[in-house]
Amino acid sequence: PYLQAYGDLGRWDEVDKMLSRPAGMAVSSAFISLWRARATLKIDNDTARSRQHLATAYEATGHGREPTLAAAAASFAEEAGIWDIAALFYKGLAEHQPKSRLPMLEKLRQAALRGRDITTLMESTDKLSALRPESPQYRNDSIYLQLVNGEKLEMNRQRLEASSDDSKDSIIQLCRALSAYRFGDLAGVRQHLKTIPDPKALSPGQRAVHAGLLSVSGQVGSAFQIAEQIPTILLLKEEQIFLQRAL
């Protein structure tokens, strides 16, 4: 409580100084590192030292084995916009806290999205899809991300062929067009693009891919009209590549 009281008074220098010499304080090293991360962010208005303290806290919590402090550190990392460290904590919590695996994987997925980390995004989405095989959202997102990244092309073509009942789903139709593109089938790209029922229902990143596919299939004007309205702040690097083809 007294640390929070100091913080509330804006005396973060004193908090950091106190915790830099914690002899006699009945607190864990993870607790100290978390509070020093908070203090240094307030002092520096920069994430560099805060990131270092959070990395120390990650090790001190046993990579998520100490759930209360790990969850608090993950939440703070999110607030600070240190998305890769937040993802580390959520990945550890998902692994070591089985009862909260699903919500921690979802938080991991969101942290990876905000950090534009497609590898972690694919891994977390695949794990969620395995935990919830009845969920079309996780399955469709898994297919989409792998195709955007150019991975497991044949496996995902087969997954799409098994999704014949989803013909009215915009993301599935986009994935079919994207799969055709990955196999060099421009006629297939054009065919599947025509069957997307509601392109506006797609996420910004998916709309970027849609615009890129329109452009490579010869619909340059339509592609540009879509592309110029897409906010780029949360696009994955792989989605930005498609967007650039339409601009």
Coordinates of all heavy atoms in Angstrom, one line a residue, residues 28 73 87 113 117 139 169 182 205 214 238 240:
S28 N 8.8 -10.3 -2.9 CA 9.5 -11.2 -3.9 C 10.3 -10.3 -4.9 O 10.0 -9.1 -5.1 CB 8.6 -12.1 -4.6 OG 7.7 -11.4 -5.4
A73 N 1.7 -8.2 -14.1 CA 2.8 -7.7 -15.0 C 2.4 -7.7 -16.4 O 2.7 -6.8 -17.2 CB 4.0 -8.6 -14.8
A87 N 3.0 -10.5 -24.3 CA 2.7 -11.8 -25.0 C 3.5 -12.9 -24.2 O 3.0 -14.1 -24.1 CB 3.2 -11.8 -26.4
L113 N -1.4 -9.6 -31.9 CA -2.0 -8.7 -33.0 C -1.5 -7.3 -32.8 O -1.1 -6.6 -33.8 CB -3.5 -8.8 -32.9 CG -4.3 -8.0 -34.0 CD1 -3.9 -8.5 -35.4 CD2 -5.8 -8.1 -33.7
D117 N 2.9 -9.5 -34.4 CA 3.8 -10.6 -34.4 C 3.0 -11.8 -35.0 O 2.3 -12.5 -34.3 CB 4.2 -10.9 -32.9 CG 5.0 -12.2 -32.8 OD1 5.3 -12.9 -33.8 OD2 5.5 -12.5 -31.6
R139 N -11.0 -21.4 -36.4 CA -10.6 -22.2 -37.6 C -10.3 -21.3 -38.8 O -9.3 -21.4 -39.4 CB -11.6 -23.3 -37.9 CG -11.3 -24.1 -39.1 CD -12.6 -24.7 -39.7 NE -13.5 -23.7 -40.2 CZ -14.8 -23.9 -40.4 NH1 -15.4 -25.0 -40.2 NH2 -15.6 -22.9 -40.8
D169 N -19.8 -17.2 -46.0 CA -18.9 -16.6 -45.0 C -17.8 -15.8 -45.8 O -17.0 -16.4 -46.5 CB -18.3 -17.7 -44.1 CG -17.6 -17.1 -42.9 OD1 -16.9 -16.0 -43.1 OD2 -17.8 -17.6 -41.8
R182 N -2.0 -18.2 -54.0 CA -0.8 -18.9 -53.6 C -0.4 -20.0 -54.5 O 0.8 -20.3 -54.7 CB -1.0 -19.4 -52.1 CG -1.0 -18.3 -51.0 CD 0.2 -17.5 -51.0 NE 0.3 -16.6 -49.8 CZ 1.1 -15.6 -49.7 NH1 1.9 -15.3 -50.7 NH2 1.1 -14.8 -48.7
G205 N -7.3 -5.7 -41.9 CA -6.2 -6.5 -42.5 C -6.7 -7.4 -43.6 O -6.1 -7.5 -44.6
L214 N -7.7 -8.1 -55.5 CA -8.4 -7.4 -56.6 C -7.4 -6.8 -57.6 O -7.6 -6.9 -58.8 CB -9.3 -6.3 -56.0 CG -10.6 -6.8 -55.4 CD1 -11.3 -5.6 -54.7 CD2 -11.6 -7.4 -56.4
E238 N 2.6 -8.7 -43.3 CA 2.2 -9.5 -44.4 C 0.9 -8.9 -45.1 O 0.8 -9.0 -46.3 CB 2.0 -10.9 -44.0 CG 3.2 -11.6 -43.5 CD 3.7 -11.2 -42.1 OE1 2.9 -10.5 -41.4 OE2 4.8 -11.5 -41.7
Q240 N 0.2 -5.7 -45.1 CA 0.7 -4.4 -45.7 C 1.2 -4.7 -47.1 O 1.1 -3.8 -48.0 CB 1.7 -3.7 -44.8 CG 1.1 -3.2 -43.5 CD 2.2 -2.6 -42.6 OE1 3.4 -2.9 -42.8 NE2 1.8 -1.8 -41.6

